[in-house]
Amino acid sequence: MQLQRPLTQNIHPGRPPLSLSAYEAAGGYQALRKVLGTMTPQQVTAAVLEANLRGRGGAGFPTGRKWSFVPMGPDAPRTKYLVINADEMEPATFKDRLLLEGDPHQLIEGIIIGAYAIQAPMAYIFLRTTYTEAFRRIAAAIAEARVNGYLGSNILGSGFSLELTLHASAGRYICGEETALLNALEGKRANPRAKPPFPPVIGLWGKPTVANNVETICNVPHILNHGAAWFRGLSRVTDGGTKIYGVSGKVKRPGAWELPLGVTIRELLEEQAGGLRDGLRLRAILPGGASTDLLTPDHLDVVMDFNGVAAAGSRLGTGTMVVVDDRTCIVGLTANLMRFFAQESCGWCTPCREGLPWLAKILTAIEQGRGEPEDIAVLKEHTRLLGPGRTFCALAPGAMEPLQSALKYFEEDFMRHIRERRCPWR
Amino acid sequence: MLSAEEKQEIAAIAAHYELKRAAGIDALRMVQRHRGWVSDETLRDVAEVLEMSPTDLDSVATFYNLIFRRPVGRHVILICDSVSCWVMGYDNLLDHLQRRLGIGLGQTTSDGRFTLLPHVCLGACDQAPAMMIDDQLYGCLDAEKIDALLKNFET
Ligand SMILES: Cc1cc2nc3c(=O)[nH]c(=O)nc-3n(C[C@H](O)[C@H](O)[C@H](O)COP(=O)(O)O)c2cc1C
Ligand code: SF4
Ligand code: FES
């Protein structure tokens, strides 16, 4: 069988997800049976490593490597945790929702296998509040899995036990940062933690903890079912697998699709999304969510994988892009993004807490025709002051990415607002 | 006062975590579901069950956008103000909604029916502009759709 879209094979938008028995009939929980029956935890991690699976939460860290940092063997702490990051609050990102609502048993099977690989007896799904339909579906699937012996003690008679808890958050973007997420789960204010130590060694309640994105963990059963070579072969590049890509903005067919990792921006925009709506022209692309650098029409042939987008000066991020047309104001777009980051800053460190609201104010003023020529220098200075390594977590540097690229490619748009004392796009 | 069932439910939630305080957000969401919002008194009661100081629990509660520490209307509208919805016409939609309801962001209609709040990306960017009313998501919105939609809540 040539399975090319493993993650979405069971997903039919508009229809309810597969029940446990339907999921089993479609080949589900076979990977788990194989793992528990025939493989050691180390063999599972080795298979994931060999598959070149990189994290789909935005940072692209190799999943097998992350798992291999967890202490194993008789001297390792007995309590360890697997935490699934289903916070998905990055603006313009709507890919995990597809998997959460569409195939909850795929997620659960991935979690059990991942927990077995690191020998964690407890796992949590950290779900954003507003995914209410996903909550209902996952809660129902967990109950089904428990009744059928896939969760709880001594799973399928293997001696391995796992408790899985679904936790709904209460709406704050920073909770998606993995160490903030751990504080949130502990019931504390969700400020990020200092790194090192890294969570695989010291995480939730001080115990070894792996945090993985929803899409990442959903790949795991397929790797175990079909092998690492097959998984690498799904991709057009050296990193393995497919990717759930998305396109939003004024295109003919906005949506999310599972495609080989490594399609180009042009393929996504033209073949999948049907191109821009009639009468509109492409001006910019925000390739992977709010915290990625803008790209331009010159970048249409950039390959949408981790290395390809990085080489073009941006990041794959979440792989869900916003298309910016010629009737949309880039300054207004940048101001909208900055207001988001300013609002969601957790307030822990000064440059971010003080700097982002100031930048949001300046950008909003420019957008409304109240900007001054000196503002440009202030904006540029801050892209350096809030850049990588200067703040406690990656939120502030992420906020600088759309700003610095807007200034790099579209400085004249900013100047026009300042000169004409109005938004020329209104 | 928390009901006996509520206290039991909080205890059941706490059993899923290593320390009691971790049940804080789940517990606050649960009482908010029952009462619409979290009053000082309710917060104190929850804190007591979790063996935390009210100040401590409040500092966690106020960290989140969707724990309501003030009364809200019978229906809460969360309108997405993030980038894809902004590109697809958030400003006009918001204008329409505010005029139609006669309130601004953060306010509640005088009949107590609706509270209007901005919220970050609802993960429905391919159906932008989008909003939620209570637990339900609505996408591909325009003025007409909003008018038709609000009629379903005229109680
Ligand atoms: C501000 C911020 C928000 C984040 N939000 C998310 C999120 O919602 N979901 C997610 O999977 N990763 C998010 N991340 C990335 C996580 O910190 C982490 O890298 C990821 O969950 C690891 O999983 P992966 O290795 O499977 O990608 C965020 C990071 C930052 C800095
Ligand atoms: S960079 Fe911003 S979000 Fe990150 S810890 Fe500092 S204040 Fe908080
Ligand atoms: S930006 Fe509005 S739903 Fe994503």
Side-chain angles (χ1 to χ4, degrees), chain A residues 185-202:
Chain A
L185 267 181
E186 290 184 12
K188 298 177 182 156
R189 280 177 78 88
N191 300 115
R193 297 177 178 177
K195 294 191 253 188
F198 290 94
V201 182
I202 298 184

Side-chain angles (χ1 to χ4, degrees), chain A residues 91-94, chain B residues 80-86 120-125 128-130:
Chain A
T93 304
F94 53 102
Chain B
C80 172
D81 66 356
S82 286
V83 60
S84 306
C85 290
W86 182 84
V120 309
C121 177
L122 294 168
C125 325

Side-chain angles (χ1 to χ4, degrees), chain A residues 55-61 63 66 85-90 96 173-174 176-178 211-214 216 393-395:
Chain A
R56 306 293 199 242
F61 196 84
T63 306
K66 190 184 279 189
N85 193 340
D87 202 40
E88 190 155 76
M89 285 181 75
E90 175 88 1
D96 292 339
Y173 170 62
I174 193 61
E177 197 280 337
E178 63 181 11
N212 273 137
N213 169 260
V214 170
T216 310
C393 87
L395 183 142

